[in-house]
Amino acid sequence: MCDSKNYSSKDHFHRFACWTAAMAVQRGFAGAKTEVIAKAIDDIELAKEFENLATLQDIDTAIYVRQHEHISKELATTLQKNGALRPKYGQTAKIIAIYFKTAVLPFHLDTALAKVAHPPIDRQLLESLAKCGKYYKEPKSRAWTKF
């Protein structure tokens, strides 16, 4: 059992976010066990990355996209090093989005970061976009994690 004096609500949200991100992306992702994903999140210090972004008053979409791409590449490299096989951008993007919405957003609702961070993209959104034909016609796969 952990010492409750050293276990904060942020620690709890972090552990829960690691689990939710792992559960959201594991299907069809060889070697991506919860422990592997949680370790990769910790190894790249994703929580600290988001804390730093949340302090920026002038963060806009372009800054967030550049940082997201950097984090995604770092996460993919770390996941592969830890045993996950060939992470796709859609998989790393989903891990980042779910982690953010679970562990970071509750503490930073009124920040510029909350206004520009990507929402998790799911199959229902992609299928709706395909039906209206505005963004793309018929993708080979409508699962974001397959992109």
Side-chain angles (χ1 to χ4, degrees), residues 7-67:
Y7 189 77
S8 69
S9 60
K10 281 194 178 186
D11 293 329
H12 181 74
F13 275 92
H14 169 73
R15 289 178 56 139
F16 180 63
C18 288
W19 178 80
T20 58
M23 291 292 101
V25 78
Q26 281 180 341
R27 187 175 20 154
F29 188 7
K33 296 179 180 177
T34 301
E35 301 80 28
V36 169
I37 293 170
K39 182 174 178 353
I41 288 170
D42 286 337
D43 287 352
I44 69 165
E45 298 183 318
L46 187 56
K48 192 180 289 185
E49 291 274 0
F50 275 120
E51 288 296 324
N52 292 338
L53 288 172
T55 64
L56 299 177
Q57 300 298 316
D58 61 344
I59 190 169
D60 61 14
T61 303
I63 292 170
Y64 181 76
V65 166
R66 279 194 307 274
Q67 192 61 22

CSV table of all heavy atoms in Angstrom, one decimal, residues 7-67:
chain,number,residue,atom,x,y,z
A,7,TYR,N,1.0,10.6,-1.9
A,7,TYR,CA,0.2,10.3,-3.1
A,7,TYR,C,-0.9,11.3,-3.2
A,7,TYR,O,-1.8,11.4,-2.5
A,7,TYR,CB,-0.4,8.9,-2.8
A,7,TYR,CG,-1.1,8.3,-4.0
A,7,TYR,CD1,-0.4,7.8,-5.1
A,7,TYR,CD2,-2.5,8.3,-4.1
A,7,TYR,CE1,-1.1,7.2,-6.2
A,7,TYR,CE2,-3.2,7.8,-5.2
A,7,TYR,CZ,-2.5,7.2,-6.2
A,7,TYR,OH,-3.1,6.7,-7.3
A,8,SER,N,-0.7,12.2,-4.2
A,8,SER,CA,-1.6,13.3,-4.4
A,8,SER,C,-2.7,13.0,-5.4
A,8,SER,O,-2.7,11.9,-6.1
A,8,SER,CB,-0.8,14.5,-5.0
A,8,SER,OG,-0.4,14.3,-6.3
A,9,SER,N,-3.7,13.9,-5.6
A,9,SER,CA,-4.7,13.7,-6.6
A,9,SER,C,-4.1,13.7,-8.0
A,9,SER,O,-4.6,13.0,-8.8
A,9,SER,CB,-5.8,14.7,-6.4
A,9,SER,OG,-5.3,16.0,-6.6
A,10,LYS,N,-3.1,14.5,-8.2
A,10,LYS,CA,-2.4,14.5,-9.5
A,10,LYS,C,-1.8,13.1,-9.8
A,10,LYS,O,-1.8,12.7,-10.9
A,10,LYS,CB,-1.4,15.6,-9.6
A,10,LYS,CG,-2.1,16.9,-9.9
A,10,LYS,CD,-1.1,18.0,-10.3
A,10,LYS,CE,-1.8,19.3,-10.7
A,10,LYS,NZ,-0.9,20.3,-11.2
A,11,ASP,N,-1.2,12.5,-8.8
A,11,ASP,CA,-0.6,11.2,-8.9
A,11,ASP,C,-1.7,10.2,-9.3
A,11,ASP,O,-1.5,9.4,-10.2
A,11,ASP,CB,0.0,10.7,-7.6
A,11,ASP,CG,1.3,11.5,-7.2
A,11,ASP,OD1,2.0,12.0,-8.1
A,11,ASP,OD2,1.5,11.6,-6.0
A,12,HIS,N,-2.9,10.3,-8.7
A,12,HIS,CA,-4.0,9.4,-9.0
A,12,HIS,C,-4.5,9.6,-10.4
A,12,HIS,O,-4.7,8.7,-11.1
A,12,HIS,CB,-5.1,9.7,-8.0
A,12,HIS,CG,-6.3,8.8,-8.2
A,12,HIS,ND1,-6.2,7.4,-7.9
A,12,HIS,CD2,-7.5,9.0,-8.7
A,12,HIS,CE1,-7.4,6.9,-8.2
A,12,HIS,NE2,-8.2,7.8,-8.7
A,13,PHE,N,-4.7,10.9,-10.8
A,13,PHE,CA,-5.1,11.2,-12.2
A,13,PHE,C,-4.1,10.7,-13.2
A,13,PHE,O,-4.4,10.2,-14.2
A,13,PHE,CB,-5.3,12.7,-12.3
A,13,PHE,CG,-6.7,13.2,-11.9
A,13,PHE,CD1,-6.9,13.6,-10.6
A,13,PHE,CD2,-7.7,13.2,-12.8
A,13,PHE,CE1,-8.1,14.1,-10.3
A,13,PHE,CE2,-9.0,13.6,-12.4
A,13,PHE,CZ,-9.2,14.1,-11.1
A,14,HIS,N,-2.8,10.8,-12.8
A,14,HIS,CA,-1.7,10.3,-13.7
A,14,HIS,C,-1.8,8.8,-13.9
A,14,HIS,O,-1.8,8.3,-15.1
A,14,HIS,CB,-0.4,10.7,-13.2
A,14,HIS,CG,0.8,10.0,-13.9
A,14,HIS,ND1,1.2,10.4,-15.2
A,14,HIS,CD2,1.6,9.0,-13.6
A,14,HIS,CE1,2.2,9.7,-15.6
A,14,HIS,NE2,2.4,8.8,-14.6
A,15,ARG,N,-1.9,8.1,-12.9
A,15,ARG,CA,-2.0,6.6,-13.0
A,15,ARG,C,-3.3,6.2,-13.7
A,15,ARG,O,-3.3,5.3,-14.6
A,15,ARG,CB,-2.0,6.0,-11.6
A,15,ARG,CG,-0.6,6.1,-10.9
A,15,ARG,CD,-0.7,5.5,-9.6
A,15,ARG,NE,-1.1,4.1,-9.7
A,15,ARG,CZ,-0.6,3.1,-9.0
A,15,ARG,NH1,0.3,3.3,-8.2
A,15,ARG,NH2,-1.1,1.9,-9.1
A,16,PHE,N,-4.4,6.9,-13.4
A,16,PHE,CA,-5.7,6.6,-14.1
A,16,PHE,C,-5.6,6.9,-15.6
A,16,PHE,O,-6.0,6.2,-16.5
A,16,PHE,CB,-6.8,7.4,-13.5
A,16,PHE,CG,-8.2,7.1,-14.1
A,16,PHE,CD1,-8.7,5.9,-14.1
A,16,PHE,CD2,-8.8,8.2,-14.7
A,16,PHE,CE1,-10.0,5.6,-14.7
A,16,PHE,CE2,-10.1,7.9,-15.3
A,16,PHE,CZ,-10.6,6.7,-15.3
A,17,ALA,N,-4.9,8.1,-15.9
A,17,ALA,CA,-4.8,8.5,-17.3
A,17,ALA,C,-3.9,7.5,-18.1
A,17,ALA,O,-4.1,7.2,-19.3
A,17,ALA,CB,-4.2,9.9,-17.4
A,18,CYS,N,-2.8,7.0,-17.4
A,18,CYS,CA,-2.0,6.0,-18.1
A,18,CYS,C,-2.8,4.8,-18.5
A,18,CYS,O,-2.7,4.2,-19.6
A,18,CYS,CB,-0.8,5.6,-17.2
A,18,CYS,SG,0.5,6.8,-17.0
A,19,TRP,N,-3.6,4.3,-17.5
A,19,TRP,CA,-4.5,3.2,-17.8
A,19,TRP,C,-5.5,3.5,-18.9
A,19,TRP,O,-5.7,2.6,-19.8
A,19,TRP,CB,-5.2,2.8,-16.5
A,19,TRP,CG,-6.1,1.6,-16.6
A,19,TRP,CD1,-5.8,0.3,-16.7
A,19,TRP,CD2,-7.5,1.7,-16.8
A,19,TRP,NE1,-6.9,-0.5,-16.9
A,19,TRP,CE2,-8.0,0.3,-16.9
A,19,TRP,CE3,-8.5,2.7,-16.8
A,19,TRP,CZ2,-9.3,0.0,-17.1
A,19,TRP,CZ3,-9.8,2.4,-17.0
A,19,TRP,CH2,-10.2,1.1,-17.1
A,20,THR,N,-6.2,4.6,-18.8
A,20,THR,CA,-7.2,4.9,-19.8
A,20,THR,C,-6.6,5.0,-21.2
A,20,THR,O,-7.2,4.5,-22.2
A,20,THR,CB,-8.0,6.2,-19.5
A,20,THR,OG1,-7.2,7.3,-19.4
A,20,THR,CG2,-8.9,6.0,-18.3
A,21,ALA,N,-5.4,5.7,-21.3
A,21,ALA,CA,-4.8,5.8,-22.6
A,21,ALA,C,-4.4,4.4,-23.1
A,21,ALA,O,-4.6,4.1,-24.3
A,21,ALA,CB,-3.5,6.7,-22.5
A,22,ALA,N,-3.9,3.6,-22.2
A,22,ALA,CA,-3.5,2.2,-22.7
A,22,ALA,C,-4.7,1.4,-23.1
A,22,ALA,O,-4.7,0.8,-24.2
A,22,ALA,CB,-2.8,1.5,-21.5
A,23,MET,N,-5.8,1.5,-22.4
A,23,MET,CA,-7.0,0.7,-22.8
A,23,MET,C,-7.6,1.2,-24.1
A,23,MET,O,-8.0,0.4,-24.9
A,23,MET,CB,-8.1,0.9,-21.7
A,23,MET,CG,-7.8,0.2,-20.4
A,23,MET,SD,-7.8,-1.6,-20.5
A,23,MET,CE,-6.0,-2.0,-20.6
A,24,ALA,N,-7.5,2.5,-24.3
A,24,ALA,CA,-8.0,3.1,-25.6
A,24,ALA,C,-7.3,2.7,-26.8
A,24,ALA,O,-7.8,2.7,-27.9
A,24,ALA,CB,-8.1,4.6,-25.4
A,25,VAL,N,-6.0,2.3,-26.7
A,25,VAL,CA,-5.2,2.1,-27.9
A,25,VAL,C,-4.7,0.7,-28.0
A,25,VAL,O,-4.2,0.3,-29.1
A,25,VAL,CB,-4.0,3.1,-27.8
A,25,VAL,CG1,-2.9,2.6,-26.9
A,25,VAL,CG2,-3.4,3.3,-29.2
A,26,GLN,N,-4.9,-0.2,-27.1
A,26,GLN,CA,-4.3,-1.5,-27.1
A,26,GLN,C,-4.7,-2.4,-28.2
A,26,GLN,O,-4.0,-3.2,-28.7
A,26,GLN,CB,-4.5,-2.2,-25.7
A,26,GLN,CG,-3.5,-1.8,-24.7
A,26,GLN,CD,-3.8,-2.5,-23.4
A,26,GLN,OE1,-4.8,-3.0,-23.1
A,26,GLN,NE2,-2.8,-2.4,-22.5
A,27,ARG,N,-6.0,-2.4,-28.5
A,27,ARG,CA,-6.5,-3.3,-29.5
A,27,ARG,C,-5.8,-3.2,-30.8
A,27,ARG,O,-5.7,-2.2,-31.4
A,27,ARG,CB,-8.0,-3.1,-29.8
A,27,ARG,CG,-8.7,-4.1,-30.6
A,27,ARG,CD,-10.2,-3.8,-30.8
A,27,ARG,NE,-10.5,-2.5,-30.4
A,27,ARG,CZ,-11.5,-1.8,-30.8
A,27,ARG,NH1,-12.4,-2.4,-31.6
A,27,ARG,NH2,-11.8,-0.6,-30.4
A,28,GLY,N,-5.2,-4.3,-31.3
A,28,GLY,CA,-4.5,-4.3,-32.6
A,28,GLY,C,-3.1,-3.7,-32.5
A,28,GLY,O,-2.5,-3.4,-33.5
A,29,PHE,N,-2.6,-3.5,-31.3
A,29,PHE,CA,-1.3,-2.8,-31.2
A,29,PHE,C,-0.4,-3.8,-30.4
A,29,PHE,O,-0.3,-3.9,-29.2
A,29,PHE,CB,-1.5,-1.5,-30.3
A,29,PHE,CG,-0.3,-0.7,-30.2
A,29,PHE,CD1,0.9,-0.9,-30.9
A,29,PHE,CD2,-0.3,0.5,-29.4
A,29,PHE,CE1,2.0,0.0,-30.8
A,29,PHE,CE2,0.8,1.3,-29.3
A,29,PHE,CZ,1.9,1.1,-30.0
A,30,ALA,N,0.4,-4.6,-31.2
A,30,ALA,CA,1.2,-5.7,-30.7
A,30,ALA,C,2.3,-5.1,-29.7
A,30,ALA,O,3.0,-4.2,-30.0
A,30,ALA,CB,1.9,-6.4,-31.8
A,31,GLY,N,2.3,-5.8,-28.6
A,31,GLY,CA,3.3,-5.4,-27.6
A,31,GLY,C,3.0,-4.3,-26.7
A,31,GLY,O,3.8,-3.9,-25.8
A,32,ALA,N,1.8,-3.7,-26.9
A,32,ALA,CA,1.4,-2.5,-26.2
A,32,ALA,C,0.6,-2.8,-24.9
A,32,ALA,O,-0.6,-2.4,-24.9
A,32,ALA,CB,0.7,-1.5,-27.1
A,33,LYS,N,1.2,-3.4,-24.0
A,33,LYS,CA,0.6,-3.7,-22.8
A,33,LYS,C,0.5,-2.5,-21.9
A,33,LYS,O,1.2,-1.5,-22.1
A,33,LYS,CB,1.3,-4.8,-22.0
A,33,LYS,CG,1.4,-6.1,-22.7
A,33,LYS,CD,2.2,-7.1,-21.9
A,33,LYS,CE,2.2,-8.4,-22.7
A,33,LYS,NZ,3.0,-9.4,-22.0
A,34,THR,N,-0.5,-2.5,-21.0
A,34,THR,CA,-0.6,-1.3,-20.1
A,34,THR,C,0.7,-0.8,-19.5
A,34,THR,O,1.0,0.4,-19.5
A,34,THR,CB,-1.7,-1.6,-19.0
A,34,THR,OG1,-2.9,-1.9,-19.7
A,34,THR,CG2,-1.9,-0.4,-18.2
A,35,GLU,N,1.5,-1.8,-19.0
A,35,GLU,CA,2.7,-1.4,-18.4
A,35,GLU,C,3.7,-0.8,-19.3
A,35,GLU,O,4.4,0.1,-19.0
A,35,GLU,CB,3.4,-2.7,-17.8
A,35,GLU,CG,2.5,-3.4,-16.8
A,35,GLU,CD,1.5,-4.3,-17.4
A,35,GLU,OE1,1.7,-4.8,-18.5
A,35,GLU,OE2,0.4,-4.5,-16.7
A,36,VAL,N,3.7,-1.2,-20.6
A,36,VAL,CA,4.6,-0.7,-21.6
A,36,VAL,C,4.2,0.8,-21.9
A,36,VAL,O,5.1,1.7,-22.0
A,36,VAL,CB,4.6,-1.5,-22.9
A,36,VAL,CG1,5.3,-0.8,-24.0
A,36,VAL,CG2,5.2,-2.9,-22.6
A,37,ILE,N,2.9,1.0,-22.1
A,37,ILE,CA,2.4,2.3,-22.4
A,37,ILE,C,2.6,3.3,-21.2
A,37,ILE,O,3.1,4.4,-21.4
A,37,ILE,CB,0.9,2.3,-22.8
A,37,ILE,CG1,0.8,1.6,-24.1
A,37,ILE,CG2,0.4,3.7,-22.9
A,37,ILE,CD1,-0.6,1.2,-24.6
A,38,ALA,N,2.3,2.8,-20.0
A,38,ALA,CA,2.5,3.7,-18.8
A,38,ALA,C,4.0,4.0,-18.6
A,38,ALA,O,4.4,5.2,-18.3
A,38,ALA,CB,2.0,3.0,-17.5
A,39,LYS,N,4.9,3.0,-18.8
A,39,LYS,CA,6.3,3.3,-18.7
A,39,LYS,C,6.8,4.3,-19.8
A,39,LYS,O,7.6,5.2,-19.4
A,39,LYS,CB,7.1,2.0,-18.9
A,39,LYS,CG,8.6,2.2,-18.7
A,39,LYS,CD,9.4,0.9,-18.7
A,39,LYS,CE,10.9,1.0,-18.5
A,39,LYS,NZ,11.5,2.3,-18.6
A,40,ALA,N,6.3,4.2,-21.0
A,40,ALA,CA,6.7,5.2,-22.0
A,40,ALA,C,6.2,6.6,-21.7
A,40,ALA,O,6.9,7.5,-21.9
A,40,ALA,CB,6.1,4.7,-23.4
A,41,ILE,N,5.0,6.7,-21.1
A,41,ILE,CA,4.4,8.0,-20.7
A,41,ILE,C,5.3,8.6,-19.6
A,41,ILE,O,5.7,9.7,-19.7
A,41,ILE,CB,3.0,7.8,-20.2
A,41,ILE,CG1,2.0,7.6,-21.4
A,41,ILE,CG2,2.5,9.0,-19.4
A,41,ILE,CD1,0.6,7.2,-21.0
A,42,ASP,N,5.7,7.7,-18.7
A,42,ASP,CA,6.6,8.2,-17.6
A,42,ASP,C,8.0,8.5,-18.2
A,42,ASP,O,8.6,9.5,-17.8
A,42,ASP,CB,6.8,7.2,-16.5
A,42,ASP,CG,5.5,7.1,-15.6
A,42,ASP,OD1,4.8,8.1,-15.6
A,42,ASP,OD2,5.3,6.0,-15.0
A,43,ASP,N,8.5,7.7,-19.1
A,43,ASP,CA,9.9,7.9,-19.6
A,43,ASP,C,10.0,9.2,-20.3
A,43,ASP,O,11.1,9.9,-20.3
A,43,ASP,CB,10.3,6.7,-20.6
A,43,ASP,CG,10.6,5.4,-19.8
A,43,ASP,OD1,10.7,5.4,-18.6
A,43,ASP,OD2,10.8,4.4,-20.5
A,44,ILE,N,9.0,9.6,-21.1
A,44,ILE,CA,9.1,10.9,-21.8
A,44,ILE,C,8.6,12.0,-21.0
A,44,ILE,O,8.6,13.2,-21.5
A,44,ILE,CB,8.3,10.8,-23.2
A,44,ILE,CG1,6.8,10.7,-23.0
A,44,ILE,CG2,8.9,9.7,-24.1
A,44,ILE,CD1,6.0,11.0,-24.2
A,45,GLU,N,8.2,11.7,-19.7
A,45,GLU,CA,7.7,12.8,-18.8
A,45,GLU,C,6.5,13.6,-19.4
A,45,GLU,O,6.5,14.8,-19.4
A,45,GLU,CB,8.8,13.7,-18.4
A,45,GLU,CG,9.9,12.9,-17.6
A,45,GLU,CD,11.0,13.8,-17.1
A,45,GLU,OE1,11.5,14.7,-17.8
A,45,GLU,OE2,11.4,13.6,-15.9
A,46,LEU,N,5.5,12.8,-19.9
A,46,LEU,CA,4.4,13.5,-20.6
A,46,LEU,C,3.7,14.4,-19.6
A,46,LEU,O,3.2,15.5,-20.1
A,46,LEU,CB,3.4,12.4,-21.1
A,46,LEU,CG,2.3,12.9,-22.0
A,46,LEU,CD1,2.8,13.7,-23.2
A,46,LEU,CD2,1.4,11.7,-22.4
A,47,ALA,N,3.5,14.1,-18.4
A,47,ALA,CA,2.9,15.0,-17.4
A,47,ALA,C,3.6,16.3,-17.4
A,47,ALA,O,2.9,17.4,-17.4
A,47,ALA,CB,2.8,14.3,-16.1
A,48,LYS,N,4.9,16.3,-17.3
A,48,LYS,CA,5.7,17.5,-17.2
A,48,LYS,C,5.6,18.3,-18.5
A,48,LYS,O,5.5,19.5,-18.5
A,48,LYS,CB,7.2,17.2,-16.9
A,48,LYS,CG,8.0,18.4,-16.6
A,48,LYS,CD,9.4,18.0,-16.3
A,48,LYS,CE,9.5,17.3,-15.0
A,48,LYS,NZ,10.9,17.0,-14.6
A,49,GLU,N,5.6,17.6,-19.7
A,49,GLU,CA,5.4,18.3,-21.0
A,49,GLU,C,4.1,19.1,-21.0
A,49,GLU,O,4.1,20.3,-21.4
A,49,GLU,CB,5.4,17.3,-22.1
A,49,GLU,CG,6.7,16.6,-22.4
A,49,GLU,CD,7.6,17.4,-23.3
A,49,GLU,OE1,7.2,18.5,-23.8
A,49,GLU,OE2,8.7,16.8,-23.6
A,50,PHE,N,3.0,18.5,-20.5
A,50,PHE,CA,1.7,19.2,-20.5
A,50,PHE,C,1.7,20.3,-19.4
A,50,PHE,O,1.1,21.4,-19.7
A,50,PHE,CB,0.6,18.2,-20.3
A,50,PHE,CG,0.1,17.6,-21.5
A,50,PHE,CD1,0.1,16.2,-21.7
A,50,PHE,CD2,-0.4,18.4,-22.6
A,50,PHE,CE1,-0.3,15.7,-22.9
A,50,PHE,CE2,-0.8,17.8,-23.8
A,50,PHE,CZ,-0.8,16.5,-23.9
A,51,GLU,N,2.4,20.1,-18.3
A,51,GLU,CA,2.4,21.2,-17.3
A,51,GLU,C,3.1,22.4,-17.9
A,51,GLU,O,2.7,23.5,-17.7
A,51,GLU,CB,3.1,20.7,-16.0
A,51,GLU,CG,2.3,19.7,-15.2
A,51,GLU,CD,1.1,20.3,-14.6
A,51,GLU,OE1,1.1,21.5,-14.2
A,51,GLU,OE2,0.1,19.6,-14.5
A,52,ASN,N,4.2,22.2,-18.6
A,52,ASN,CA,4.9,23.3,-19.3
A,52,ASN,C,4.1,24.0,-20.3
A,52,ASN,O,4.0,25.2,-20.4
A,52,ASN,CB,6.2,22.8,-19.9
A,52,ASN,CG,7.3,22.3,-18.9
A,52,ASN,OD1,7.2,22.7,-17.7
A,52,ASN,ND2,8.2,21.5,-19.3
A,53,LEU,N,3.4,23.2,-21.1
A,53,LEU,CA,2.5,23.8,-22.1
A,53,LEU,C,1.3,24.6,-21.5
A,53,LEU,O,0.9,25.6,-22.0
A,53,LEU,CB,1.9,22.7,-23.0
A,53,LEU,CG,2.8,22.0,-24.0
A,53,LEU,CD1,2.2,20.9,-24.7
A,53,LEU,CD2,3.3,23.1,-25.0
A,54,ALA,N,0.8,24.1,-20.3
A,54,ALA,CA,-0.3,24.8,-19.7
A,54,ALA,C,0.1,26.1,-19.1
A,54,ALA,O,-0.7,27.0,-18.9
A,54,ALA,CB,-0.8,23.9,-18.6
A,55,THR,N,1.4,26.4,-18.9
A,55,THR,CA,1.9,27.7,-18.4
A,55,THR,C,2.0,28.7,-19.5
A,55,THR,O,2.1,29.9,-19.2
A,55,THR,CB,3.2,27.5,-17.7
A,55,THR,OG1,4.2,27.2,-18.6
A,55,THR,CG2,3.2,26.5,-16.5
A,56,LEU,N,1.9,28.3,-20.7
A,56,LEU,CA,2.1,29.2,-21.8
A,56,LEU,C,0.8,30.0,-22.0
A,56,LEU,O,-0.3,29.4,-22.3
A,56,LEU,CB,2.5,28.5,-23.1
A,56,LEU,CG,3.8,27.7,-23.1
A,56,LEU,CD1,3.9,27.0,-24.5
A,56,LEU,CD2,4.9,28.7,-22.9
A,57,GLN,N,0.9,31.3,-22.0
A,57,GLN,CA,-0.3,32.2,-22.2
A,57,GLN,C,-0.6,32.4,-23.7
A,57,GLN,O,-1.7,32.6,-24.0
A,57,GLN,CB,-0.1,33.5,-21.5
A,57,GLN,CG,0.2,33.5,-20.0
A,57,GLN,CD,-1.0,32.9,-19.3
A,57,GLN,OE1,-2.2,33.2,-19.6
A,57,GLN,NE2,-0.8,32.0,-18.4
A,58,ASP,N,0.4,32.3,-24.5
A,58,ASP,CA,0.3,32.6,-25.9
A,58,ASP,C,0.3,31.3,-26.8
A,58,ASP,O,0.5,31.4,-28.0
A,58,ASP,CB,1.4,33.5,-26.4
A,58,ASP,CG,2.8,32.9,-26.2
A,58,ASP,OD1,2.9,32.0,-25.5
A,58,ASP,OD2,3.7,33.5,-26.8
A,59,ILE,N,0.0,30.2,-26.2
A,59,ILE,CA,0.0,28.9,-27.0
A,59,ILE,C,-1.1,29.0,-28.0
A,59,ILE,O,-2.2,29.4,-27.7
A,59,ILE,CB,0.0,27.7,-26.2
A,59,ILE,CG1,0.2,26.4,-27.0
A,59,ILE,CG2,-1.3,27.6,-25.4
A,59,ILE,CD1,0.4,25.2,-26.2
A,60,ASP,N,-0.8,28.7,-29.2
A,60,ASP,CA,-1.9,28.6,-30.3
A,60,ASP,C,-1.8,27.3,-30.9
A,60,ASP,O,-1.0,26.4,-30.6
A,60,ASP,CB,-1.7,29.8,-31.3
A,60,ASP,CG,-0.4,29.7,-32.0
A,60,ASP,OD1,0.3,28.7,-32.0
A,60,ASP,OD2,0.0,30.7,-32.7
A,61,THR,N,-2.7,27.1,-31.9
A,61,THR,CA,-2.7,25.8,-32.6
A,61,THR,C,-1.4,25.4,-33.2
A,61,THR,O,-1.0,24.2,-33.1
A,61,THR,CB,-3.9,25.8,-33.6
A,61,THR,OG1,-5.1,26.1,-33.0
A,61,THR,CG2,-4.0,24.4,-34.3
A,62,ALA,N,-0.7,26.3,-33.9
A,62,ALA,CA,0.5,26.0,-34.5
A,62,ALA,C,1.6,25.5,-33.5
A,62,ALA,O,2.3,24.5,-33.8
A,62,ALA,CB,1.0,27.2,-35.3
A,63,ILE,N,1.7,26.2,-32.4
A,63,ILE,CA,2.7,25.8,-31.4
A,63,ILE,C,2.3,24.4,-30.8
A,63,ILE,O,3.1,23.6,-30.7
A,63,ILE,CB,2.7,26.9,-30.2
A,63,ILE,CG1,3.3,28.2,-30.7
A,63,ILE,CG2,3.5,26.3,-29.0
A,63,ILE,CD1,3.1,29.3,-29.8
A,64,TYR,N,1.0,24.2,-30.6
A,64,TYR,CA,0.6,22.9,-30.0
A,64,TYR,C,0.9,21.8,-31.0
A,64,TYR,O,1.3,20.7,-30.6
A,64,TYR,CB,-0.9,23.0,-29.6
A,64,TYR,CG,-1.3,21.6,-29.0
A,64,TYR,CD1,-1.0,21.3,-27.8
A,64,TYR,CD2,-2.0,20.7,-29.8
A,64,TYR,CE1,-1.3,20.1,-27.2
A,64,TYR,CE2,-2.3,19.4,-29.3
A,64,TYR,CZ,-2.0,19.1,-28.0
A,64,TYR,OH,-2.3,17.9,-27.5
A,65,VAL,N,0.6,22.0,-32.3
A,65,VAL,CA,0.8,21.0,-33.3
A,65,VAL,C,2.3,20.6,-33.4
A,65,VAL,O,2.6,19.4,-33.4
A,65,VAL,CB,0.2,21.4,-34.7
A,65,VAL,CG1,0.7,20.5,-35.8
A,65,VAL,CG2,-1.3,21.4,-34.7
A,66,ARG,N,3.2,21.6,-33.4
A,66,ARG,CA,4.6,21.3,-33.4
A,66,ARG,C,5.0,20.5,-32.2
A,66,ARG,O,5.7,19.5,-32.3
A,66,ARG,CB,5.4,22.6,-33.5
A,66,ARG,CG,5.5,23.2,-34.9
A,66,ARG,CD,6.6,24.3,-34.9
A,66,ARG,NE,6.5,25.3,-34.0
A,66,ARG,CZ,5.7,26.4,-34.1
A,66,ARG,NH1,5.0,26.6,-35.2
A,66,ARG,NH2,5.7,27.3,-33.2
A,67,GLN,N,4.5,20.9,-31.0
A,67,GLN,CA,4.9,20.2,-29.8
A,67,GLN,C,4.3,18.8,-29.8
A,67,GLN,O,4.9,17.8,-29.4
A,67,GLN,CB,4.4,21.0,-28.5
A,67,GLN,CG,5.0,20.5,-27.3
A,67,GLN,CD,6.5,20.5,-27.2
A,67,GLN,OE1,7.2,21.2,-27.9
A,67,GLN,NE2,7.1,19.7,-26.4
